[in-house]
Amino acid sequence: MRWLMGGQVYDVSTGSFRTADIGIAHGRIATVGSGARREHADDTIDATGLWLLPGLIDCHVHLTLPTDAGDPAASANRSDAAITLYAAGAAARTLHAGITTVRDVGGWNYVEMAVRDAVNSGSIPGPRMFLAGRLLSITTSTVEYYPGMYEVADGVDAVRVAARRQLAKGADLIKVMATGAMLSSETEDSRAIQFTLEELRAAVEIAHDNHKHVAAHCHALRGIENAVEAGVDSIEHCTFADDAVLRKMAAAGTTLVPTVCAGELLFRDPAAIASMPPHLLTRMAEFNDLHIDAIRRAHQLGVAIAMGTDAGTPGNHHGLNAEECVLLSLKAGLSPQESIRTATVNAARLLRQADHLGALDEGKHADIIGMCENPLDDITALTRVALVIKAGEVARDERGA
């Protein structure tokens, strides 16, 4: 039995801390309380002065995508070997930042599956990984930007085949392009729909029949409407949402994954901006404030929000993931408690892992992060993690730094 002693332990249900000890056995939380008996302690970690939270969950990453260049096309021809090595490094940086679980919503030629296997075997450090494989898309010139990420499927039957192919490769969910993308070719418009309602329904049918969930890339209003009607589980981005469709999302229980980092972190990175093609920079600048306003209104209207960064886009570096919680609080109107919920209990529910993740409760995975400051007083404390524990094992300990 391993013990974390004397830390301030966060309760996601009440949104408050209490002094408690956490006992860990076989990678899971065995007990939480104060004054616990410790006759069988194998080792003890003094957590005095630490504010302990469940490991954070990022529901929208692309571990295979490099973030330094502003032009997505610049990395289109990397070898699978180079991509695998990059993804392994990105996974390690993500874990060390306190993100103990990720949902990757578009990998590259399935190399991320090998990275997941290596993480699960303990060969390399990394977060728990829930993978979509290739994302499903209509025929578009943007495939040239991301040739290893896109699975082109035109028509209902082709969508079914493509969805089944991802599941056969080991996917945990299906990702569909309901609308155009921002970081796309000059001829693709993020305000236009891509998959039709019937095609989206086909993807949802295959996924749900196989006990998997569906993430829908959605900027355009009509694409969001179609995705909600088709029964997808999460809407990614939601840039051009109006109040009517947000109310439909709230009523349907459709989760919003906001990815505010994609725009905000880009504009903090001069190198990414300098190397970004003009048409992409114009789009990102024109729609960033509109995107944040949509997230703010979604929160006000009661839409469930699960944290997601889009880490892998230009300037949106792997390891900066907790910035999304900061931005949701400082820019989109969520309280610190609400922001933390997006990266814990809400994200766990979206992943269908509420029995295992998202809270420091008995029986759940012992994924625990610690900070030297109270994030309820200063939400930016989430970006300064001193202790990271995944499955009961210490992945990072910089309390003395």
Side-chain angles (χ1 to χ4, degrees):
M1 180 86 79
R2 164 171 283 168
W3 287 91
L4 271 69
M5 302 299 301
Q8 298 297 312
V9 177
Y10 191 70
D11 185 333
V12 295
S13 62
T14 64
S16 61
F17 287 95
R18 65 185 176 103
T19 304
D21 307 327
I22 301 176
I24 300 169
H26 308 295
R28 291 187 179 259
I29 297 173
T31 184
V32 181
S34 56
R37 298 178 65 187
R38 297 182 293 281
E39 292 89 341
H40 302 292
D42 295 322
D43 66 273
T44 300
I45 297 174
D46 183 2
T48 304
L50 285 181
W51 306 84
L52 302 176
L53 293 173
L56 302 183
I57 303 170
D58 189 336
C59 291
H60 191 125
V61 304
H62 298 282
L63 291 172
T64 60
L65 290 185
T67 58
D68 294 331
D71 185 357
S75 55
N77 295 320
R78 296 173 298 156
S79 69
D80 285 355
I83 294 168
T84 305
L85 290 172
Y86 180 87
R93 294 194 298 276
T94 300
L95 175 63
H96 292 161
I99 312 301
T100 55
T101 299
V102 297
R103 184 181 68 154
D104 190 300
V105 289
W108 200 281
N109 290 337
Y110 310 106
V111 303
E112 70 279 4
M113 307 289 186
V115 174
R116 178 180 61 186
D117 292 344
V119 168
N120 289 345
S121 71
S123 301
I124 62 172
R128 301 179 190 279
M129 297 168 62
F130 294 83
L131 308 178
R134 288 181 167 184
L135 58 83
L136 276 54
S137 169
I138 65 166
T139 297
T140 168
S141 57
T142 302
V143 174
E144 296 178 5
Y145 278 28
Y146 313 102
M149 181 181 291
Y150 274 51
E151 182 86 6
V152 173
D154 293 317
V156 170
D157 290 341
V159 168
R160 289 196 178 102
V161 170
R164 290 188 177 108
R165 183 176 297 115
Q166 307 319 302
L167 298 178
K169 291 286 188 178
D172 302 295
L173 69 144
I174 299 298
K175 165 76 174 296
V176 293
M177 299 294 286
T179 80
M182 291 282 185
L183 294 170
S184 60
S185 64
E186 199 162 2
T187 59
E188 183 169 308
D189 191 336
S190 62
R191 296 164 297 186
I193 66 165
Q194 290 200 354
F195 277 139
T196 65
L197 175 58
E198 292 74 19
E199 289 169 324
L200 293 172
R201 281 176 169 158
V204 170
E205 177 187 10
I206 297 302
H208 287 181
D209 282 353
N210 287 276
H211 308 286
K212 309 295 184 183
H213 70 279
V214 178
H217 167 105
C218 293
H219 291 295
L221 173 59
R222 186 177 161 205
I224 301 169
E225 292 171 337
N226 284 346
V228 174
E229 185 173 348
V232 306
D233 300 277
S234 68
I235 300 292
E236 318 296 303
H237 315 303
C238 212
T239 304
F240 301 110
D242 63 12
D243 287 357
V245 79
L246 292 173
R247 291 189 182 96
K248 290 180 181 178
M249 288 177 62
T254 310
T255 299
L256 167 60
V257 180
T259 68
V260 176
C261 279
E264 289 293 309
L265 297 191
L266 166 66
F267 292 109
R268 297 183 192 178
D269 191 317
I273 292 173
S275 58
M276 180 167 278
H279 78 277
L280 296 182
L281 191 58
T282 297
R283 290 177 186 173
M284 298 299 286
E286 182 178 358
F287 299 129
N288 190 54
D289 289 346
L290 186 68
H291 180 205
I292 293 173
D293 179 65
I295 306 307
R296 184 184 300 110
R297 287 184 288 108
H299 173 58
Q300 293 170 346
L301 292 169
V303 177
I305 299 176
M307 191 270 270
T309 60
D310 215 354
T313 58
N316 190 2
H317 305 300
H318 305 286
L320 297 184
N321 313 61
E323 291 285 354
E324 185 78 15
C325 294
V326 176
L327 292 166
L328 288 174
S329 185
L330 299 184
K331 294 219 173 231
L334 279 68
S335 69
Q337 289 92 338
E338 290 168 335
S339 182
I340 290 170
R341 282 186 68 86
T342 71
T344 55
V345 62
N346 288 6
R349 287 173 180 166
L350 175 59
L351 295 180
R352 303 182 176 186
Q353 295 293 310
D355 290 341
H356 305 289
L357 300 171
L360 299 180
D361 294 338
E362 293 180 7
K364 296 189 187 295
H365 288 303
D367 295 353
I368 305 166
I369 60 174
M371 290 133 283
C372 299
E373 307 156 84
N374 185 345
L376 302 186
D377 295 334
D378 180 3
I379 192 66
T380 67
L382 293 179
T383 67
R384 297 183 291 276
V385 173
L387 178 68
V388 178
I389 294 174
K390 178 192 165 196
E393 299 297 323
V394 176
R396 178 183 181 187
D397 187 353
E398 296 191 5
R399 290 171 292 162

